[in-house]
Amino acid sequence: MENYIVLFLIGLIAGALNAAAGGGSFITFPAFIYAGVPPIQANASSTVALFPGSLASAWKFREYIQPFPNISIKAMLILTLLGGCAGGLLLLYTPSAGFKLIVPWLLLLGSLAFAFGKQIGHWLRKKIHIGSGLVLGAQFILGIYGGYFGGAVGIMMMAVWSLFGLSDIKVINANKTLFTGIANAAAVILFISAGKVYWPETCTMMAATILGGYFGAHFTKKIDPVKLRTGIVIFNFVITTVFFIKTYI
């Protein structure tokens, strides 16, 4: 009973985090491990549990969702879905020990990119022309990343989009909720088909993430954009540090 209470409370927080900053799986994944779920199944169950919350946030943020200039949002959605499918398959064939070692480095990459994405993007746009092909290619890779390690893709998407000149944090955040949901959709189908989901634990957390995702999006829209970005940066590095300590120390 204690495990289910913990999973529900963590689900509420994770749903709100995904709405505000992304990275809900940073706490849901350890929560499933705490509940006795093996690493690969914990990540699969985490992805499934967070999926409805992402959709709830996307619906709440729908007024801010905007396509990239001169880029088809339909093409981005399709590439994200295909990438998510590929990433989900990759996870199913990754050994548990290897997966645990990779996660902290993926989080560090995302944290650095988001923190310094604006400066890097300004320098990068001076050196090369960032056309629609590059944006679409990057989105496919992000879809793979999302299918492989669900929640962290929100951070990676916001980081990469900032490189392409999208600067409005509320638009970035709204688009993130939609595209992470799409990337996770393919992975969710694969994980369920492969029997990798621990359903009693997952359903408990899923109910909480829907509530957390909806109300988290509601309050996020009222937050000052500068404060929101600062909070996201701090949150990213704290969680990344925790994962490095738990994995390598």
Side-chain angles (χ1 to χ4, degrees):
M1 185 63 182
E2 176 188 345
N3 286 348
Y4 290 102
I5 294 174
V6 170
L7 288 172
F8 187 84
L9 293 176
I10 291 296
L12 286 174
I13 298 170
L17 282 177
N18 270 353
S25 68
F26 297 165
I27 60 174
T28 60
F29 175 68
F32 277 110
I33 295 292
Y34 171 82
V37 182
I40 295 294
Q41 287 83 347
N43 189 63
S45 297
S46 172
T47 300
V48 174
L50 289 170
F51 178 62
S54 296
L55 296 182
S57 296
W59 175 255
K60 193 66 178 178
F61 275 131
R62 64 190 183 280
E63 64 189 275
Y64 292 108
I65 294 174
Q66 298 178 15
F68 285 89
N70 304 316
I71 298 176
S72 167
I73 193 168
K74 183 183 293 186
M76 290 191 70
L77 289 171
I78 292 172
L79 287 171
T80 303
L81 184 64
L82 292 175
C85 183
L89 287 171
L90 181 63
L91 177 67
L92 292 177
Y93 289 97
T94 299
S96 294
F99 175 71
K100 290 175 66 176
L101 293 174
I102 291 171
V103 168
W105 296 100
L106 296 176
L107 300 184
L108 178 60
L109 177 63
S111 298
L112 290 171
F114 185 75
F116 304 107
K118 186 174 181 180
Q119 297 91 322
I120 296 172
H122 180 70
W123 175 85
L124 192 61
R125 286 190 296 275
K126 282 184 174 180
K127 302 295 182 181
I128 62 173
H129 172 67
I130 301 178
S132 60
L134 186 58
V135 176
L136 291 173
Q139 191 61 32
F140 177 68
I141 294 172
L142 286 168
I144 295 175
Y145 189 95
Y148 186 76
F149 187 58
V153 73
I155 293 172
M156 292 300 297
M157 284 187 182
M158 290 189 291
V160 171
W161 293 343
S162 68
L163 295 179
F164 297 141
L166 194 61
S167 58
D168 187 330
I169 185 61
K170 289 190 175 181
V171 172
I172 292 175
N173 209 34
N175 285 358
K176 176 260 299 180
T177 62
L178 173 63
F179 283 98
T180 53
I182 295 299
N184 287 339
V188 163
I189 294 172
L190 287 171
F191 297 154
I192 293 174
S193 299
K196 297 296 184 181
V197 179
Y198 276 51
W199 283 111
E201 294 84 352
T202 300
C203 289
T204 299
M205 185 175 283
M206 186 184 296
T209 60
I210 294 172
L211 292 174
Y214 184 84
F215 290 107
H218 174 75
F219 289 113
T220 297
K221 292 198 295 186
K222 301 174 184 282
I223 298 175
D224 177 76
V226 175
K227 292 181 179 178
L228 178 58
R229 178 177 285 277
T230 301
I232 291 172
V233 170
I234 294 172
F235 173 78
N236 292 351
F237 280 109
V238 168
I239 296 300
T240 299
T241 301
V242 170
F243 264 77
F244 267 105
I245 291 172
K246 290 176 67 69
T247 303
Y248 293 102
I249 297 179

